[in-house]
């Protein structure tokens, strides 16, 4: 997506005047008489999200009024200005006064210009924004571009975004930044000791694979990103109902967001040795599909009993995490659309994260708040670890019962990480169920901006 930022002089742009109910009386009094009367006659009262274009004497747009929540409101949507690209007539605009957070408002403006137009013609908003003074427009554009990548990948339906197509997208990104790319496909996964990835993907006519690329100076700290790439999830033989299968094209959202994060890291040229691992599969139903109570070895050597074939994401991540852990990275991060339990606990907008690194937990929480990319820490509760026990294998991928599903998934993955200096697990949703300012309905970039800011502060 082209940058929404304009380099033209601010004097040639249309001012956007932000108002709240508390400030509206003062702002209204400062308007020219004709503009004030026009606003009052149109009933503008600075309701959050309200937008009104004020005409000049010659009939052109003189300025724009836009409503925000009061500064003292219990809940403020700092991305509220992200509605503007869909509301404004074509033109070049600038902020005439400061919204609640100018940098986030500019980012929201950029994110709100996104449109998914692969399958039907969509009109991109013909609006540009003069960057407010003091913000890094390059960095905001970097984050917006990465969000567009994640959204495009997730929004693309599975018939056009299978394991091979996901690998092609990753390879294209790797080549753009000169990264070394490799991909292990099909039965070669067995020969190279990735039995769980192969088991989950073997029933599909589209071969499973492990996507792997590396970038950066080997002397720099090692940061490894692992993303769940289930390009469609039927649930396997533990078949999902149709309602549960409806948006399973998004089940590669972890991979999409890992690629978005990798793009930001490489574009910013952070001082890291980056490795990206994406196990890419389709969890299909066929005569050779893996079954409940089957037992498979893993790359780490632990045997895994299949308690439920619909808990497939943790299986493919386990082999990828085991590979990543062998390098003893300074930081190992995995992201996946893993459990409905996380959504029950925290809803679609607030992904949980898990780590035993107290410093990183605090730093990530601060970055999430700073970037309006919400995250919430959940515990790796040791008492629940025994729930993963199997009577016939080293562990079970899906304990019976309905409690603490997101926690037990995290504990399962923790079994495959021993040597990384720090490990972080994120159970994201990767989807916006209903449109919000700057967040259209559909695939979403979640956690990647917060993680990028964390990495920038550590390795910038």
């Amino acid at each position: 997506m082209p940058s929404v930022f304009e380099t033209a002089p601010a004097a040639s742009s249309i001012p956007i005047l932000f108002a709240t109910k508390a400030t509206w009386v003062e702002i209204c009094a400062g308007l020219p008489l004709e503009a004030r009367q026009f606003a009052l006659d149109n009933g503008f009262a600075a309701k959050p999200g309200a937008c009104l274009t004020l005409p000049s004497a010659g009939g052109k747009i003189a300025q724009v009024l836009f409503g925000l929540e009061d500064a003292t409101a219990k809940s403020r949507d700092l991305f509220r200005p992200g509605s503007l690209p869909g509301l404004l007539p074509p033109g070049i605009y600038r902020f005439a006064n400061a919204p609640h957070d100018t940098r986030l408002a500019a980012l929201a403006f950029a994110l709100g210009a996104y449109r998914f137009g692969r399958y039907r013609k969509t009109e991109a908003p013909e609006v540009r924004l003069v960057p407010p003074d003091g913000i890094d427009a390059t960095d905001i554009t970097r984050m917006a571009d990465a969000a567009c990548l994640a959204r495009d990948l997730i929004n693309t339906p599975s018939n056009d975004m299978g394991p091979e197509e996901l690998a092609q997208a990753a390879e294209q990104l790797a080549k753009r930044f000169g990264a070394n790319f490799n991909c292990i496909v099909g039965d070669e996964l067995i020969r190279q000791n990735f039995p769980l990835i192969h088991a989950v993907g073997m029933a599909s006519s589209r071969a499973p694979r492990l996507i792997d690329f590396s970038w950066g100076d080997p002397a720099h700290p090692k940061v490894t990103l692992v993303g769940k790439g289930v390009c469609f999830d039927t649930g396997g033989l533990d078949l999902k109902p149709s309602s549960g299968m409806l948006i399973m094209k998004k089940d590669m959202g972890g991979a999409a967001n890992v690629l978005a994060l990798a793009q930001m890291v490489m574009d910013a040229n952070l001082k890291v040795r980056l490795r990206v691992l994406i196990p890419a599969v389709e969890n299909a139903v066929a005569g050779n599909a893996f079954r409940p109570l089957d037992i498979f070895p893993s790359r780490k050597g632990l045997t895994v009993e299949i308690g439920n074939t619909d808990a497939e994401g943790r299986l493919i991540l386990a082999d990828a995490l085991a590979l990543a852990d062998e390098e003893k990275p300074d930081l190992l991060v995995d992201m996946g659309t893993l459990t409905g339990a996380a959504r029950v606990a925290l809803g679609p907008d607030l992904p949980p994260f898990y780590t035993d690194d107290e410093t990183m937990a605090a730093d990530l929480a601060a970055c999430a708040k700073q970037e309006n990319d919400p995250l919430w820490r959940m515990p790796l509760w040791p008492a629940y670890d025994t729930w993963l026990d199997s009577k016939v294998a080293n562990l079970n991928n899906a304990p019976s019962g309905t409690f603490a599903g997101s926690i037990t998934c995290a504990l399962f993955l923790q079994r495959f990480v021993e040597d990384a200096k720090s490990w972080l697990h994120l159970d994201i949703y990767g989807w916006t169920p209903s449109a919000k300012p700057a967040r259209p309905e559909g695939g979403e970039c979640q956690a990647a901006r917060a993680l990028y800011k964390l990495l920038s502060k550590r390795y910038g």
Side-chain angles (χ1 to χ4, degrees):
M1 185 183 79
S3 172
V4 300
F5 293 115
E6 177 61 52
T7 57
S12 64
S13 57
I14 302 167
I16 299 171
L17 194 59
F18 295 104
T20 70
K21 290 181 179 180
T23 63
W24 171 233
V25 173
E26 182 180 351
I27 288 173
C28 184
L31 294 173
L33 179 60
E34 296 83 356
R36 185 190 319 151
Q37 194 60 49
F38 185 88
L40 294 173
D41 286 350
N42 279 273
F44 186 84
K47 180 181 178 182
C51 184
L52 181 65
T53 55
L54 301 178
S56 67
K60 294 185 177 181
I61 300 174
Q63 60 184 323
V64 174
L65 299 174
F66 188 75
L68 299 175
E69 293 86 353
D70 284 324
T72 57
K74 183 177 181 180
S75 177
R76 291 182 297 164
D77 188 349
L78 298 179
F79 274 179
R80 180 72 64 189
S83 298
L84 284 165
L87 298 172
L88 296 174
I92 300 172
Y93 297 85
R94 62 182 168 85
F95 294 166
N97 61 343
H100 295 308
D101 186 309
T102 301
R103 187 181 68 88
L104 288 180
L107 173 60
F109 195 99
L111 293 172
Y114 172 82
R115 300 293 183 272
F116 181 62
R118 177 166 177 169
Y119 297 96
R120 68 177 187 182
K121 186 177 180 180
T122 57
E123 298 295 336
E126 296 181 29
V127 293
R128 308 273 290 169
L129 181 69
V130 176
D133 291 339
I135 72 157
D136 187 343
T138 300
D139 199 48
I140 288 176
T141 298
R142 179 180 296 126
M143 289 189 281
D145 286 347
C148 289
L149 171 65
R151 288 169 173 178
D152 280 348
L153 290 172
I154 298 170
N155 285 331
T156 301
S158 300
N159 59 314
D160 287 329
M161 187 53 64
E164 182 178 3
E165 290 82 5
L166 183 57
Q168 289 170 351
E171 185 175 13
Q172 184 178 8
L173 179 64
K175 286 183 176 179
R176 174 181 163 190
F177 291 99
N180 296 316
F181 181 86
N182 183 52
C183 194
I184 304 169
V185 182
D187 290 343
E188 190 63 25
L189 290 164
I190 293 291
R191 288 187 281 273
Q192 296 198 35
N193 192 25
F194 299 99
L196 292 177
I197 299 174
H198 185 271
V200 173
M202 64 186 176
S204 174
S205 59
R206 309 161 93 179
R209 60 203 67 212
L210 177 62
I211 301 160
D212 183 358
F213 67 83
S214 298
W215 170 91
D217 187 339
H220 287 158
K222 294 179 181 177
V223 175
T224 302
L225 311 177
V226 181
K228 173 186 170 184
V230 177
C231 294
F232 193 80
D233 182 20
T234 65
L237 293 179
D238 288 307
L239 195 68
K240 293 179 181 289
S242 59
S243 59
M245 214 182 297
L246 189 60
I247 57 171
M248 279 300 101
K249 68 177 185 179
K250 80 168 186 68
D251 214 21
M252 38 65 70
N257 278 280
V258 157
L259 291 175
L261 175 56
Q263 177 174 301
M264 288 186 274
V265 167
M266 293 187 292
D267 189 64
N269 200 28
L270 298 187
K271 295 179 178 64
V272 298
R273 175 58 170 175
L274 180 70
R275 189 178 191 184
V276 174
L277 295 168
I278 296 174
V281 303
E282 181 175 36
N283 188 19
V285 177
N288 65 331
F290 73 123
R291 296 165 290 262
L293 299 190
D294 280 354
I295 298 174
F296 294 95
S298 66
R299 179 176 183 84
K300 192 172 180 62
L302 298 172
T303 54
V304 181
E305 182 182 22
I306 306 303
N308 192 307
T309 63
D310 196 20
E312 83 299 329
R314 66 197 70 181
L315 295 173
I316 64 172
L317 287 176
D319 270 355
L321 284 170
L323 172 64
D325 195 56
E326 291 165 12
E327 281 193 327
K328 302 180 180 180
D330 293 84
L331 175 59
L332 175 54
V333 179
D334 76 79
M335 299 173 67
T337 52
L338 285 154
T339 71
R343 313 289 75 83
V344 171
L346 298 175
D349 301 337
L350 185 58
F353 72 91
Y354 298 83
T355 183
D356 278 335
D357 185 331
E358 297 297 328
T359 300
M360 184 171 65
D363 290 347
L364 180 58
C367 289
K369 184 175 182 180
Q370 176 185 340
E371 296 305 314
N372 198 30
D373 192 10
L375 296 170
W376 194 264
R377 189 183 185 187
M378 295 270 276
L380 289 159
W381 194 247
Y384 295 162
D385 195 62
T386 57
W387 293 5
L388 299 169
D389 289 349
S390 165
K391 295 178 181 178
V392 289
N394 293 125
L395 68 166
N396 190 298
N397 79 318
S400 60
T402 58
F403 295 143
S406 183
I407 294 175
T408 53
C409 176
L411 290 169
F412 178 89
L413 295 174
Q414 189 180 36
R415 296 281 191 102
F416 297 86
V417 179
E418 288 185 347
D419 295 322
K421 293 180 182 177
S422 187
W423 170 62
L424 173 69
H425 163 63
L426 299 107
D427 190 347
I428 68 170
Y429 193 48
W431 190 263
T432 300
S434 57
K436 304 179 183 69
R439 294 148 291 189
E441 180 180 343
E444 190 51 277
C445 186
Q446 280 189 321
R449 287 187 292 104
L451 285 165
Y452 164 64
K453 195 55 61 174
L454 175 74
L455 296 177
S456 296
K457 290 181 176 182
R458 290 190 172 194
Y459 310 113

